[in-house]
Amino acid sequence: MANVFRSLVILPLLFVASYAQFWLRPDAFELFNKKKILGPHELFNNPFGDAQDYLRKKIENDFGTEPLPQSANPSHPNFFGLPNEPKGSWQLVSVNSGVSAMHAILLPKVDKVLMYDATIWKKSEIRLPAGHCRLLNETTGEKDCFCHSVLFDIATTAITPLQLHTDTWCSSGGLSIDGNLVGTGGFQGGAKTVRYLETCKGCNWREFPTALADRRWYSTQAELPDGGFIVVGGRDAFSYEYIPREGRSNAKSYFFDFLKKTSDKDENNLYPFVHLSTDGNLFIFANDRAVLLNPKSNKVVREFPALPGGHRNYPATGMSVLLPIKLHSKNNIVIPAEVLVCGGSGHRDAYTQASRDIFYTALEDCGRIRITDKKPAWKREVMPSPRVMGDMMILPTGDVLLLNGARRGCSGWGFAREPNLGPAIYHPKAKLGNRFRELTASTIPRMYHSSSVVLPDGKILVAGSNTNNGYVYNAMFPTELRVEKFLPPYLDPSVIRRRPVIIADKAPQQIGYNNLFKLHIKSKALKIEKKDIKVTMYAPAFTTHGVSMNQRLLDLGLEDVITENAFLGIHSITAVSPPSGKVAPPGYYMLFVVHQGVPSVSSWVQIK
């Protein structure tokens, strides 16, 4: 890392004109690579190159996903969906988000999406309010008056600028018990920073640049059963640590040999996948291997078999979710937990080769494992198309949406080709080989540095994409400020009549653990059967670089579903709350009622 900081000393010498103007020079990316402005692994491809160049170059050994057993391959009708089956639709909701959404998360209580990128560029498409600037150099008086963090109102698309002082580039985050943002790490002076952002009107970032013991660049932040956080990995950080109380600093971290063993020349273990299992342990996946870490004893209590096929973490960026957790009115001692890992690259050197204009086909397979089994084993299956740098979002129904990313290459500055514009839906409860279905494609490439957010109305907000070092609009894949919403098939006009409405003043705002609670819904159905109803709780994800941190969906146990007034369509539901913080960490969740596969608009509920 010392080389990174020494190289940064020469950065001002390159800026004869403004930073954005410098990129207009055709040899700019070559100079950046030669000087290693950002570090040994932050190489650049020509941003003004040809997006079809991969078609003209024969690539040896471009195998993508090697053949899987026939049972893992979907049959044609289920793979593509039936002719009249809804496939979702897209809405363009904003042409200028102000900042390109490298990081994004939905904030409770205010229903706004927090978006931010990095301060290193000293440029965005929105300025801070008059009189507010970030002082860059006390000697010269150089200032940065651009905004790098905004609140995006999901109802009106209005943007509220927020001021960051430390660099959030490739950082991490999650929501506190009270629904506030806690963010960690980043670049340069932001690498050891812990940041806080409350949702109150007029609130702004609070930043503590010396809170962490190790530098956390490309690290993952995960919530613990008590509502605290652990931060795992990052560049040259073969360790983890727990976020200290606000204003305090960690004296040391915990060495984690697993991260050292899974690292390779191209660092394919950055942004590890971290999921809190239902037993309170942490499932940590890096590169192609996984372990179970006990956060109380700080010991690895289980090693899982390697996932065959290739490499799954940044920069060979795959996707992962903890599949929906099914609860019952009377839960067993062991509550099953399953993890799904999809995409990535079959080539260990995908990053190095991409710097030489060789863009390998991304992986097309997924691995699924029940991590609570006594003898867990991976089961592999095939997606509709190869995908790297994608997002995987859990829908209110319990299905999983895969979107964004590319079919070739890997993460990095212009290191991917062939945008994967078509989402796919994954049905976890379907039979192996019949779980995927392709949906309606977008027209906007969402490549490196894009993000996705599940919204309270069941739509998916999609934003960002910036494969360029700065805000560049005449590039092969321009910096993207447009914001879309994807409407999954359950919002199609042909089925929307099934949609229930939660009666707000009869919905709980706070629940405890292992308790019965009641909510009322309004429906066009005269009678509702218990078998047709699901009550789900969704914990919002912090999405960045293909990682959806702390995303979680709980399918609650039901006691009763009663029709109270058939004429008015009023029905009551008695559900059982999650049993503990191991299953549902304390904090804010979106509460959905799903009727015959169609979810309501959610209401916010806090569990603690």
Side-chain angles (χ1 to χ4, degrees):
M1 288 304 292
N3 291 333
V4 177
F5 296 113
R6 281 197 295 270
S7 66
L8 286 169
V9 174
I10 67 171
L11 186 58
L13 300 179
L14 296 173
F15 286 74
V16 177
S18 72
Y19 192 61
Q21 291 174 328
F22 180 83
W23 259 111
L24 298 179
R25 291 180 51 171
D27 62 343
F29 75 102
E30 295 174 350
L31 289 174
F32 274 123
N33 288 339
K34 184 177 180 181
K35 298 295 184 179
K36 295 187 177 179
I37 297 301
L38 301 175
H41 283 77
E42 268 60 53
L43 298 174
F44 302 91
N45 247 313
N46 182 0
F48 310 110
D50 178 8
Q52 303 297 312
D53 56 3
Y54 69 93
L55 294 172
R56 294 187 294 272
K57 179 176 287 189
K58 181 176 173 57
I59 302 176
E60 301 295 333
N61 197 32
D62 184 22
F63 54 78
T65 298
E66 295 181 331
L68 270 65
Q70 188 62 35
S71 62
N73 288 284
S75 60
H76 239 54
N78 297 79
F79 203 63
F80 294 99
L82 300 174
N84 297 323
E85 200 168 4
K87 295 183 180 180
S89 59
W90 291 87
Q91 296 175 339
L92 179 65
V93 296
S94 175
V95 295
N96 185 5
S97 56
V99 303
S100 187
M102 179 189 297
H103 313 81
I105 187 170
L106 175 68
L107 299 181
K109 299 179 284 188
V110 295
D111 283 345
K112 294 181 180 180
V113 173
L114 173 66
M115 301 176 183
Y116 52 99
D117 54 10
T119 63
I120 188 173
W121 296 320
K122 298 178 283 187
K123 177 74 172 70
S124 69
E125 289 301 332
I126 181 172
R127 290 182 177 270
L128 291 166
H132 293 266
C133 294
R134 182 169 59 105
L135 182 63
L136 301 177
N137 188 313
E138 292 185 1
T139 303
T140 65
E142 182 187 4
K143 295 179 181 179
D144 173 14
C145 299
F146 284 96
C147 175
H148 306 288
S149 166
V150 300
L151 290 176
F152 183 89
D153 191 304
I154 60 177
T156 67
T157 73
I159 295 173
T160 304
L162 301 171
Q163 185 170 13
L164 279 165
H165 291 276
T166 57
D167 199 344
T168 49
W169 181 21
C170 305
S171 58
S172 311
L175 294 175
S176 71
I177 297 175
D178 294 324
N180 301 318
L181 191 282
V182 181
T184 48
F187 185 56
Q188 299 184 103
K192 292 187 176 182
T193 303
V194 176
R195 305 172 189 86
Y196 301 88
L197 178 66
E198 295 182 8
T199 55
C200 52
K201 187 176 181 180
C203 284
N204 222 316
W205 291 95
R206 301 191 304 277
E207 303 173 67
F208 299 87
T210 60
L212 300 176
D214 290 345
R215 303 182 59 79
R216 301 293 172 188
W217 196 23
Y218 304 100
S219 64
T220 302
Q221 180 177 321
E223 191 173 6
L224 300 169
D226 63 358
F229 289 100
I230 187 173
V231 189
V232 182
R235 169 152 302 162
D236 296 330
F238 304 129
S239 64
Y240 62 86
E241 57 189 293
Y242 301 95
I243 297 180
R245 287 186 179 181
E246 183 174 345
R248 297 188 181 182
S249 298
N250 284 340
K252 62 179 183 178
S253 62
Y254 294 85
F255 175 69
F256 197 20
D257 190 50
F258 169 71
L259 290 178
K260 191 170 185 179
K261 289 178 178 177
T262 53
S263 187
D264 55 36
K265 183 175 68 69
D266 279 2
E267 297 183 293
N268 290 307
N269 71 343
L270 299 178
Y271 272 127
F273 304 136
V274 184
H275 303 295
L276 176 65
S277 179
T278 52
D279 59 7
N281 294 314
L282 293 163
F283 175 87
I284 302 176
F285 184 102
N287 205 327
D288 63 352
R289 281 172 280 173
V291 295
L292 203 63
L293 176 73
N294 185 317
K296 290 187 175 180
S297 66
N298 293 303
K299 293 181 179 179
V300 172
V301 295
R302 171 176 279 182
E303 293 186 12
F304 295 92
L307 173 57
H311 314 276
R312 314 285 180 165
N313 293 91
Y314 183 94
T317 306
M319 310 160 283
S320 179
V321 293
L322 179 72
L323 288 174
I325 299 167
K326 176 59 182 172
L327 301 175
H328 301 276
S329 56
K330 294 181 180 178
N331 285 302
N332 298 326
I333 296 176
V334 177
I335 298 174
E338 288 186 275
V339 169
L340 182 69
V341 177
C342 295
S345 178
H347 299 266
R348 187 185 302 271
D349 60 347
Y351 181 90
T352 297
Q353 294 301 327
S355 70
R356 301 166 182 165
D357 292 332
I358 296 173
F359 306 102
Y360 288 125
T361 301
L363 286 174
E364 199 170 0
D365 71 323
C366 298
R368 179 170 168 174
I369 188 170
R370 181 170 288 197
I371 62 177
T372 47
D373 279 359
K374 291 182 178 180
K375 294 183 179 180
W378 291 100
K379 294 181 180 179
R380 294 171 69 197
E381 50 196 311
V382 179
M383 296 186 288
S385 58
R387 199 179 299 263
V388 65
M389 302 188 302
D391 290 325
M392 199 145 59
M393 313 307 296
I394 309 174
L395 300 176
T397 56
D399 295 323
V400 178
L401 183 70
L402 293 73
L403 71 170
N404 297 349
R407 295 170 182 253
R408 289 182 171 274
C410 65
S411 291
W413 306 101
F415 280 12
R417 295 291 188 273
E418 198 175 354
N420 195 328
L421 300 171
I425 198 165
Y426 178 82
H427 303 288
K429 292 185 177 181
K431 291 183 179 179
L432 181 65
N434 294 286
R435 292 173 177 159
F436 284 102
R437 186 159 57 92
E438 288 188 307
L439 303 177
T440 302
S442 172
T443 59
I444 301 175
R446 300 289 182 179
M447 306 287 276
Y448 192 41
H449 293 149
S450 59
S451 57
S452 303
V453 175
V454 177
L455 299 178
D457 61 3
K459 298 177 183 179
I460 312 301
L461 184 140
V462 182
S465 185
N466 190 10
T467 69
N468 311 295
N469 185 27
Y471 282 64
V472 183
Y473 303 111
N474 60 338
M476 180 192 323
F477 296 111
T479 301
E480 190 57 69
L481 297 172
R482 287 175 291 178
V483 180
E484 297 172 285
K485 288 181 182 179
F486 178 67
L487 285 65
Y490 53 64
L491 295 180
D492 190 83
S494 64
V495 297
I496 198 66
R497 58 183 174 76
R498 304 178 197 161
R499 188 172 213 183
V501 175
I502 296 176
I503 300 175
D505 59 359
K506 293 188 176 182
Q509 295 183 351
Q510 190 176 96
I511 56 176
Y513 288 105
N514 202 29
N515 288 333
L516 292 175
F517 69 93
K518 184 175 287 190
L519 65 159
H520 291 76
I521 62 169
K522 192 170 184 178
S523 172
K524 292 182 180 179
L526 294 178
K527 183 174 175 58
I528 288 184
E529 302 288 342
K530 185 177 177 181
K531 63 181 177 60
D532 291 332
I533 287 289
K534 286 203 297 189
V535 176
T536 60
M537 288 172 54
Y538 176 82
F542 179 93
T543 60
T544 185
H545 292 76
V547 184
S548 298
M549 303 178 197
N550 304 302
Q551 182 176 215
R552 200 176 196 87
L553 187 115
L554 306 153
D555 185 352
L556 302 183
L558 301 182
E559 281 281 306
D560 286 309
V561 177
I562 299 172
T563 299
E564 294 193 349
N565 189 322
F567 180 75
L568 296 177
I570 306 297
H571 313 269
S572 68
I573 301 170
T574 304
V576 184
S577 64
S580 70
K582 296 177 182 179
V583 177
Y588 277 85
Y589 291 74
M590 285 189 277
L591 185 69
F592 292 92
V593 175
V594 183
H595 176 231
Q596 294 181 343
V598 180
S600 66
V601 174
S602 70
S603 63
W604 286 105
V605 64
Q606 185 189 36
I607 185 170
K608 64 178 184 178

